[in-house]
Amino acid sequence: MARQTENGHGLGQMPEDAGAIDRVLRERPLIVASNRGPVTCSLEDDGTFRARKGSGGVVTAVSSIAREHQPIWIAAAMTEGDRARAEVAARQGEHLIEFGRPPEFRLRFVVPAPEAYHQYYNVISNPLLWFLQHYLWDTPRSPDITHEIWTAWYDGYVAVNRLFADEIVATCERCETQPIVMLQDYHLYLCGGMVRERNPDAILQHFVHIPWPDPDYWRLLPMAMRRAICEGMLGNDIVGFQTPEHARSFMYTCEAYVDGAEIDYDRSAVRWNGRRIEVRAYPISIDANAVRRIAYSKEARSHDRYLPNHWNEFTILRVDRAEPSKNIVRGFQAFDRFLEAHREFQGRVNFVAITVPSRMDVPEYQDYLDDVSAAVGRINARYANVETGWQPIHLIMGENYPRALAAMKWYDVLLVNAIIDGMNLVAKEGALLNERNGVLILSEGAGAASQLGDNALIIAPADVEGTADAMHQALTMPLADRRRMAEGLRRAVEADDVADWFRQQIADLIRYASADEPDADHADASSPLASPIEPDVAVP
Ligand code: F6P
């Protein structure tokens, strides 16, 4: 029987026998559960449905895996169109809704009542959990855990997690072999525990795409909530994070708040309720081929015709959702300071900000978008030159992935100054696509900093002056240095494909199942993954 691999920093090694992974994936259905699904449906006037691809880190990463492994994707019906499509499926006994021919995605919608969904998504997940996990609360003033929040917790977050768990359990029951279930992100923290209660043999893995703060900060949530979150997560076999630091914070949090949890920091595991839960780091990446394909597609090229209207002798680019954690306003303040301190650049440099409005039902996001627009207006009013027509900041609003990728080919500087970010895939997309030896200015708070930091200018996200200096340094850097750094970035991204992110998780599940532990309470022997791979996994 193969032994457990530990490498001290929480990152497992790929089993040498990649065939074992492929065989497990051939033999076992894969279920992915995430709040946002790969497509959003809308009902057209003629009564037909139109499906649009979803967006964001989770969808993009999992979609690239879906192409090869065709998971059953369980996602929330987020729009009226999704609900209507789910209703048609239920009426017609259509178990899985298939999109594309041949099917690219097979989906089951979870359909919460609109009010429950609102409480789960717009009150608890965003902003409460999102703000907490990105250290965004102005803690002397917020959050207030009011009666309304408690109601939203029970009637929204707990209720919708239960709907997801019901759907996962039912889907597992329909499968001939125990499937591999991969839960995604902060919307579904309770799911692992809920599924485990009803299906003790379930193979469960949960990946958290966003940071995991220290236990002290979790105290902003009442004990019952933070404990339920940790205990829900401990229903999984493996929990994964973007960085080893966040994985460690999770273990500290379990130690602080979960009664009876024993932490094995050396082996990166938690023992609780007679089970052993592994805690791992899987830095997410992009699908380099797919990103290149889209960036050079006909649609992206159509943007090449007018995007240059926004360029100047020098161009600084940023691409983000209008999201407080992305630190967009401070980025503009830094640009303001840069123009003030280096007047010779006035008229010669444009800051192009491609901004995607996001979570517009959440007041904090509406306010932030207002702050972004106000900062642009103020800085443009200060520097714009009526004679030459120069305007320093060009704000391009709206979601258009091919356009964003098209723009990345042209920047001289890419600004990624997030306050804190799980990974930040824009940094990786830009590094891959840029054709001008562009310099990456990267926040030390982004998970990407540990992988790309050697070839980027690293800034502290609140340091407006330091960010302005970095802009100057980037725009005056000798070509040879820019080329060396850009090549280093590109190589790092090319060597780190999202397929590895996925396969590493499956490899660790296989190891987990076949771990040879002396402890009687380790569930290895009964694990459904144990037997099929046992002969093949190399003993490290
Ligand atoms: O993990 C963060 C994430 O869930 C990513 O999928 C994406 O970047 C973003 O948040 C999308 O958020 P939403 O689904 O709320 O639009």
Side-chain angles (χ1 to χ4, degrees), residues 22-320:
D22 289 333
R23 198 169 59 249
V24 166
L25 287 171
R26 263 199 314 276
E27 287 170 357
R28 295 192 179 274
L30 187 64
I31 297 176
V32 172
S34 62
N35 170 63
R36 187 177 286 281
V39 288
T40 312
C41 300
S42 55
L43 187 54
E44 302 295 286
D45 291 342
D46 63 1
T48 58
F49 287 97
R50 201 163 81 93
R52 269 191 64 227
K53 279 206 177 154
S55 62
V58 175
V59 168
T60 311
V62 184
S63 295
S64 53
I65 282 132
R67 273 190 283 279
E68 209 182 325
H69 300 291
Q70 263 124 50
I72 298 170
W73 202 319
I74 298 177
M78 293 181 73
T79 63
E80 280 309 312
D82 291 347
R83 286 171 193 287
R85 184 63 186 86
E87 215 176 284
V88 170
R91 242 195 345 260
Q92 298 180 346
E94 194 183 1
H95 264 322
L96 294 174
I97 307 175
E98 297 191 337
F99 294 93
R101 247 183 232 116
E104 201 178 341
F105 301 111
R106 300 182 302 156
L107 184 66
R108 276 196 72 79
F109 279 123
V110 166
V111 192
E115 181 55 18
Y117 188 77
H118 170 75
Q119 293 183 323
Y120 145 92
Y121 184 73
N122 292 323
V123 181
I124 301 296
S125 302
N126 316 304
L128 188 65
L129 294 176
W130 180 276
F131 270 46
L132 184 125
Q133 293 195 236
H134 291 83
Y135 294 92
L136 293 177
W137 287 116
D138 179 9
T139 52
R141 295 178 188 81
S142 54
D144 294 333
I145 307 296
T146 57
H147 173 71
E148 284 69 32
I149 297 284
W150 275 109
T151 306
W153 170 259
Y154 287 116
D155 297 353
Y157 196 76
V158 177
V160 174
N161 267 259
R162 191 159 297 287
L163 290 180
F164 266 92
D166 290 348
E167 189 57 59
I168 292 167
V169 170
T171 306
C172 287
E173 280 166 2
R174 277 195 295 272
C175 295
E176 278 170 21
T177 48
Q178 190 73 256
I180 295 174
V181 180
M182 303 181 89
L183 304 168
Q184 307 297 312
D185 237 349
Y186 57 101
H187 314 85
L188 302 180
Y189 284 145
L190 311 183
C191 248
M194 290 171 169
V195 173
R196 178 71 61 202
E197 261 174 34
R198 290 163 58 192
N199 181 350
D201 295 333
I203 304 165
L204 291 170
Q205 198 266 8
H206 193 140
F207 184 77
V208 180
H209 291 252
I210 64 175
W212 188 280
D214 295 332
D216 280 349
Y217 203 69
W218 277 100
R219 246 185 248 120
L220 289 174
L221 289 192
M223 180 61 111
M225 288 185 194
R226 66 185 109 115
R227 187 173 279 162
I229 286 171
C230 290
E231 292 184 358
M233 292 284 281
L234 293 177
N236 292 281
D237 296 308
I238 301 183
V239 291
F241 296 87
Q242 298 276 20
T243 68
E245 291 75 20
H246 296 145
R248 231 179 347 259
S249 283
F250 174 74
M251 290 189 282
Y252 292 143
T253 312
C254 290
E255 183 168 36
Y257 303 127
V258 178
D259 286 340
E262 288 168 31
I263 318 296
D264 182 344
Y265 288 103
D266 290 339
R267 308 186 82 199
S268 208
V270 179
R271 184 175 298 281
W272 185 66
N273 257 358
R275 296 180 55 256
R276 181 172 184 277
I277 299 91
E278 297 195 348
V279 184
R280 292 285 176 267
Y282 305 105
I284 203 165
S285 196
I286 56 173
D287 177 344
N289 289 334
V291 167
R292 279 205 183 99
R293 238 186 344 265
I294 299 171
Y296 293 94
S297 64
K298 202 163 153 214
E299 186 181 350
R301 283 179 188 281
S302 73
H303 299 290
D304 287 347
R305 278 201 294 279
Y306 75 88
L307 274 174
N309 295 335
H310 299 289
W311 310 152
N312 200 336
E313 183 185 343
F314 302 103
T315 302
I316 301 176
L317 177 74
R318 72 173 309 136
V319 179
D320 342 62

